[in-house]
């Protein structure tokens, strides 16, 4: 495994807020609007946390209307598989009508 990639992943998960986000994403795709409620931080602050996880290759996102929906990358490194296995999955609320979710 590339040492720099490993370092980026370890730095990404070395934060309580980012670990909480990963706990929420264990149950599937979640809108950033719901993650704001989970952390109790502003949307820009949550987006910064998500950006670090995305840059580390742990999560991915897709845009729906004005919101971004995040989910775990399907193929995780053995390191991330182990870390994710230690996290208790946390249910998050589903997007409300303001989120513009489409099926």
């Amino acid at each position: 495994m590339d040492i720099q990639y490993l370092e980026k992943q370890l730095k990404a998960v070395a934060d309580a807020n980012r670990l909480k986000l990963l706990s929420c994403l264990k149950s599937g795709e979640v809108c950033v609007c719901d993650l704001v409620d989970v952390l109790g931080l502003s949307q820009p602050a949550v987006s910064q946390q998500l950006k670090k996880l995305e840059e580390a290759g742990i999560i991915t996102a897709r845009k729906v209307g004005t919101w971004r929906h995040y989910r775990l990358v399907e193929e995780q490194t053995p390191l991330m598989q182990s870390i994710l296995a230690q996290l208790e999955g946390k249910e998050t609320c589903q997007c409300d009508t303001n989120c513009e979710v489409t099926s």
Side-chain angles (χ1 to χ4, degrees):
M1 176 178 277
D2 178 17
I3 295 293
Q4 290 177 332
Y5 184 65
L6 179 61
E7 177 186 31
K8 188 173 263 195
Q9 285 201 321
L10 287 170
K11 283 183 178 181
V13 297
D15 178 88
N17 282 329
R18 291 192 288 272
L19 289 172
K20 287 178 191 174
L21 292 172
L22 290 175
S23 291
C24 293
L25 296 173
K26 281 184 75 170
S27 62
E29 190 173 82
V30 181
C31 178
V32 70
C33 65
D34 290 322
L35 296 172
V36 167
D37 293 338
V38 169
L39 293 185
L41 299 173
S42 68
Q43 185 273 322
V46 172
S47 291
Q48 283 293 83
Q49 299 297 320
L50 290 163
K51 181 180 177 185
K52 291 180 184 197
L53 292 169
E54 193 171 14
E55 288 174 347
I58 301 167
I59 65 171
T60 188
R62 68 182 178 93
K63 193 166 184 165
V64 177
T66 57
W67 295 100
R68 289 178 58 99
H69 291 244
Y70 291 87
R71 69 182 183 282
L72 294 172
V73 171
E74 283 188 35
E75 290 190 30
Q76 297 288 346
T77 63
L79 170 69
M80 285 310 306
Q81 289 174 4
S82 178
I83 291 169
L84 291 168
Q86 297 300 311
L87 296 175
E88 186 175 322
K90 183 175 184 175
E91 291 295 320
T92 57
C93 53
Q94 298 300 312
C95 296
D96 60 22
T97 55
N98 296 327
C99 187
E100 305 170 14
V101 174
T102 59
S103 300

